[in-house]
Coordinates of all heavy atoms in Angstrom, one line a residue:
S1 N -63.4 153.7 -103.1 CA -63.1 153.8 -104.5 C -62.8 155.3 -104.8 O -62.3 155.6 -105.9 CB -64.2 153.3 -105.3 OG -65.4 154.1 -105.1
R2 N -63.3 156.2 -104.0 CA -63.1 157.6 -104.3 C -62.2 158.4 -103.4 O -61.7 159.5 -103.7 CB -64.5 158.3 -104.2 CG -65.5 157.9 -105.2 CD -66.9 158.5 -105.0 NE -67.5 157.8 -103.9 CZ -68.2 158.5 -103.0 NH1 -68.4 159.8 -103.0 NH2 -68.9 157.8 -102.0
Y3 N -61.8 157.8 -102.3 CA -60.9 158.5 -101.3 C -59.7 157.6 -100.9 O -59.8 156.3 -100.8 CB -61.7 158.9 -100.1 CG -62.7 160.0 -100.3 CD1 -64.0 159.7 -100.7 CD2 -62.4 161.3 -100.1 CE1 -64.9 160.7 -101.0 CE2 -63.2 162.3 -100.3 CZ -64.5 162.0 -100.8 OH -65.5 163.0 -101.0
V4 N -58.6 158.2 -100.6 CA -57.4 157.6 -100.0 C -57.5 157.8 -98.5 O -57.7 158.9 -98.1 CB -56.2 158.1 -100.6 CG1 -54.9 157.5 -99.9 CG2 -56.1 157.8 -102.1
M5 N -57.4 156.7 -97.8 CA -57.6 156.8 -96.3 C -56.2 156.8 -95.6 O -55.2 156.2 -96.1 CB -58.4 155.6 -95.8 CG -59.8 155.5 -96.5 SD -60.8 156.9 -96.4 CE -61.1 157.0 -94.6
G6 N -56.2 157.4 -94.5 CA -55.0 157.4 -93.6 C -55.3 157.7 -92.2 O -56.5 158.1 -91.9
W7 N -54.3 157.6 -91.3 CA -54.4 158.0 -89.9 C -53.3 159.0 -89.6 O -52.2 158.9 -90.1 CB -54.2 156.8 -89.1 CG -55.4 155.9 -89.0 CD1 -55.6 154.8 -89.8 CD2 -56.5 156.0 -88.1 NE1 -56.8 154.2 -89.4 CE2 -57.4 154.9 -88.4 CE3 -56.9 156.9 -87.1 CZ2 -58.6 154.8 -87.7 CZ3 -58.1 156.7 -86.4 CH2 -58.9 155.6 -86.7
Y8 N -53.7 160.0 -88.9 CA -52.7 161.1 -88.3 C -52.9 161.1 -86.9 O -53.8 160.7 -86.3 CB -53.0 162.4 -89.0 CG -52.7 162.5 -90.5 CD1 -53.5 161.9 -91.4 CD2 -51.7 163.3 -90.9 CE1 -53.2 162.1 -92.8 CE2 -51.4 163.5 -92.2 CZ -52.1 162.8 -93.1 OH -51.9 163.0 -94.6
R9 N -51.9 161.8 -86.2 CA -52.0 162.1 -84.8 C -51.4 163.4 -84.5 O -50.6 164.0 -85.3 CB -51.2 161.0 -84.0 CG -49.7 161.0 -84.1 CD -49.1 159.9 -83.4 NE -47.7 159.8 -83.5 CZ -46.9 158.8 -83.0 NH1 -47.5 157.7 -82.5 NH2 -45.6 158.8 -83.2
Q10 N -51.8 164.0 -83.4 CA -51.4 165.3 -83.1 C -51.3 165.5 -81.6 O -52.2 165.1 -80.8 CB -52.4 166.4 -83.6 CG -51.9 167.8 -83.4 CD -52.8 168.8 -84.2 OE1 -53.9 168.5 -84.5 NE2 -52.2 169.9 -84.6
V11 N -50.2 166.0 -81.1 CA -49.9 166.5 -79.8 C -50.2 167.9 -79.7 O -49.8 168.7 -80.6 CB -48.5 166.1 -79.3 CG1 -48.2 166.6 -77.9 CG2 -48.2 164.6 -79.5
P12 N -50.8 168.4 -78.6 CA -51.1 169.8 -78.5 C -49.8 170.7 -78.7 O -48.8 170.4 -78.0 CB -51.6 170.0 -77.0 CG -52.3 168.6 -76.8 CD -51.4 167.7 -77.5
G13 N -49.9 171.7 -79.5 CA -48.8 172.6 -79.7 C -47.9 172.1 -80.9 O -46.9 172.8 -81.2
E14 N -48.1 170.9 -81.4 CA -47.3 170.4 -82.4 C -48.1 170.2 -83.7 O -49.3 170.2 -83.7 CB -46.7 169.1 -82.0 CG -45.7 169.2 -80.8 CD -45.0 167.9 -80.4 OE1 -45.2 167.0 -81.2 OE2 -44.4 167.9 -79.4
Q15 N -47.4 169.9 -84.8 CA -48.1 169.7 -86.1 C -48.7 168.3 -86.2 O -48.1 167.4 -85.6 CB -47.1 169.9 -87.3 CG -46.7 171.3 -87.4 CD -45.8 171.5 -88.7 OE1 -46.0 170.8 -89.7 NE2 -44.9 172.5 -88.7
R16 N -49.8 168.2 -86.9 CA -50.4 166.9 -87.1 C -49.4 166.1 -88.0 O -49.0 166.6 -89.0 CB -51.8 167.0 -87.7 CG -52.5 165.8 -87.8 CD -54.1 166.1 -88.1 NE -54.6 167.0 -87.1 CZ -55.9 167.3 -87.2 NH1 -56.7 166.9 -88.2 NH2 -56.4 168.1 -86.2
E17 N -49.2 164.8 -87.7 CA -48.3 164.0 -88.5 C -48.9 162.7 -88.9 O -49.8 162.1 -88.2 CB -47.0 163.6 -87.7 CG -47.2 162.8 -86.5 CD -46.0 162.3 -85.8 OE1 -44.9 162.3 -86.4 OE2 -46.0 161.8 -84.6
L18 N -48.5 162.3 -90.1 CA -49.0 161.0 -90.6 C -48.4 159.9 -89.9 O -47.2 159.8 -89.7 CB -48.7 160.9 -92.1 CG -49.1 159.6 -92.8 CD1 -50.6 159.6 -93.0 CD2 -48.4 159.6 -94.2
V19 N -49.3 158.9 -89.4 CA -48.8 157.7 -88.8 C -49.1 156.4 -89.7 O -48.4 155.4 -89.5 CB -49.3 157.5 -87.4 CG1 -48.8 158.6 -86.5 CG2 -50.9 157.5 -87.3
A20 N -50.0 156.5 -90.5 CA -50.3 155.3 -91.4 C -51.0 155.8 -92.7 O -52.1 156.4 -92.6 CB -51.2 154.3 -90.7
G21 N -50.4 155.7 -93.8 CA -51.0 156.1 -95.1 C -51.2 155.0 -96.0 O -50.5 154.0 -95.9
T22 N -52.0 155.2 -97.0 CA -52.3 154.3 -98.1 C -52.0 155.0 -99.4 O -52.2 156.2 -99.5 CB -53.7 153.7 -98.1 OG1 -54.7 154.7 -98.2 CG2 -53.9 152.9 -96.8
G23 N -51.7 154.2 -100.4 CA -51.3 154.9 -101.7 C -51.7 153.9 -102.9 O -52.5 153.0 -102.8
I24 N -51.0 154.2 -104.0 CA -51.3 153.4 -105.2 C -50.9 152.0 -105.0 O -49.9 151.7 -104.4 CB -50.4 154.1 -106.4 CG1 -50.9 155.5 -106.7 CG2 -50.6 153.2 -107.6 CD1 -50.0 156.2 -107.6
G25 N -51.8 151.1 -105.6 CA -51.5 149.7 -105.5 C -51.6 149.1 -104.1 O -51.1 148.0 -103.8
G26 N -52.4 149.8 -103.2 CA -52.5 149.3 -101.9 C -51.3 149.4 -101.0 O -51.2 148.8 -100.0
R27 N -50.3 150.3 -101.5 CA -49.1 150.4 -100.6 C -49.5 151.1 -99.4 O -50.4 151.9 -99.3 CB -48.1 151.3 -101.4 CG -47.6 150.6 -102.7 CD -46.6 151.5 -103.4 NE -46.1 150.9 -104.6 CZ -45.3 151.5 -105.4 NH1 -44.9 152.7 -105.2 NH2 -44.9 150.9 -106.5
T28 N -48.7 150.8 -98.3 CA -48.9 151.5 -97.1 C -47.6 152.3 -96.7 O -46.5 151.9 -97.2 CB -49.2 150.5 -95.9 OG1 -48.2 149.5 -95.9 CG2 -50.6 149.8 -96.2
N29 N -47.7 153.3 -95.9 CA -46.6 154.1 -95.6 C -46.7 154.4 -94.0 O -47.7 154.9 -93.5 CB -46.7 155.4 -96.4 CG -45.6 156.4 -96.0 OD1 -44.4 156.0 -95.9 ND2 -45.8 157.7 -95.9
Y30 N -45.6 154.1 -93.4 CA -45.4 154.4 -92.0 C -44.1 155.1 -91.6 O -43.1 154.8 -92.2 CB -45.5 153.1 -91.1 CG -46.6 152.2 -91.4 CD1 -46.5 151.2 -92.3 CD2 -47.8 152.4 -90.7 CE1 -47.6 150.3 -92.6 CE2 -48.9 151.5 -91.0 CZ -48.8 150.5 -91.9 OH -49.8 149.7 -92.2
P31 N -44.2 156.1 -90.7 CA -42.9 156.8 -90.3 C -42.1 155.8 -89.5 O -42.6 154.8 -88.9 CB -43.4 157.9 -89.5 CG -44.7 157.5 -89.0 CD -45.4 156.7 -90.0
D32 N -40.8 156.0 -89.4 CA -40.0 155.1 -88.7 C -40.4 154.9 -87.2 O -40.1 153.9 -86.6 CB -38.5 155.7 -88.7 CG -37.9 155.6 -90.1 OD1 -38.4 154.7 -90.9 OD2 -36.9 156.3 -90.3
S33 N -41.0 156.0 -86.7 CA -41.4 155.9 -85.3 C -42.5 154.8 -85.0 O -42.5 154.4 -83.8 CB -41.9 157.3 -84.8 OG -43.0 157.7 -85.5
V34 N -43.2 154.4 -86.0 CA -44.3 153.4 -85.8 C -44.1 152.2 -86.5 O -44.9 151.2 -86.4 CB -45.6 154.0 -85.9 CG1 -45.8 155.3 -85.1 CG2 -45.9 154.3 -87.4
K35 N -43.1 152.1 -87.5 CA -43.0 150.9 -88.3 C -42.8 149.7 -87.4 O -42.0 149.7 -86.5 CB -41.7 151.1 -89.2 CG -42.0 152.0 -90.4 CD -40.8 152.1 -91.3 CE -41.0 152.9 -92.5 NZ -39.8 153.1 -93.4
G36 N -43.5 148.6 -87.8 CA -43.4 147.4 -87.1 C -44.4 147.3 -86.0 O -44.6 146.2 -85.4
R37 N -45.0 148.5 -85.6 CA -45.8 148.4 -84.5 C -47.3 148.8 -84.9 O -48.3 148.3 -84.3 CB -45.4 149.4 -83.4 CG -44.0 149.1 -82.8 CD -43.7 150.0 -81.6 NE -43.6 151.4 -82.0 CZ -44.5 152.4 -81.5 NH1 -45.4 152.0 -80.6 NH2 -44.4 153.6 -81.9
F38 N -47.5 149.6 -85.8 CA -48.8 150.1 -86.3 C -49.1 149.5 -87.7 O -48.2 149.2 -88.5 CB -48.8 151.6 -86.5 CG -48.8 152.4 -85.2 CD1 -48.5 151.8 -84.0 CD2 -49.2 153.7 -85.2 CE1 -48.5 152.5 -82.8 CE2 -49.1 154.5 -84.0 CZ -48.8 153.9 -82.8
S39 N -50.4 149.2 -87.9 CA -50.8 148.7 -89.2 C -52.2 149.2 -89.5 O -53.1 149.1 -88.7 CB -50.9 147.1 -89.0 OG -51.3 146.6 -90.2

């Protein structure tokens, strides 16, 4: 109720990237690289 949760991943030497996010109204957000595969 107080925090928005998400998942990120990071490869050594690269920036951390979002792979699964949540938002308003229970919406989810996935980058194209994982859409249809991650939930």
Side-chain angles (χ1 to χ4, degrees):
S1 65
R2 294 175 285 140
Y3 292 87
V4 175
M5 307 301 297
W7 285 93
Y8 290 72
R9 69 185 180 189
Q10 187 170 25
V11 176
E14 299 183 6
Q15 295 187 27
R16 192 169 297 184
E17 66 171 342
L18 178 73
V19 294
T22 60
I24 299 173
R27 295 177 180 177
T28 56
N29 179 45
Y30 306 94
D32 290 340
S33 59
V34 307
K35 282 183 179 178
R37 300 188 299 116
F38 288 14
S39 179

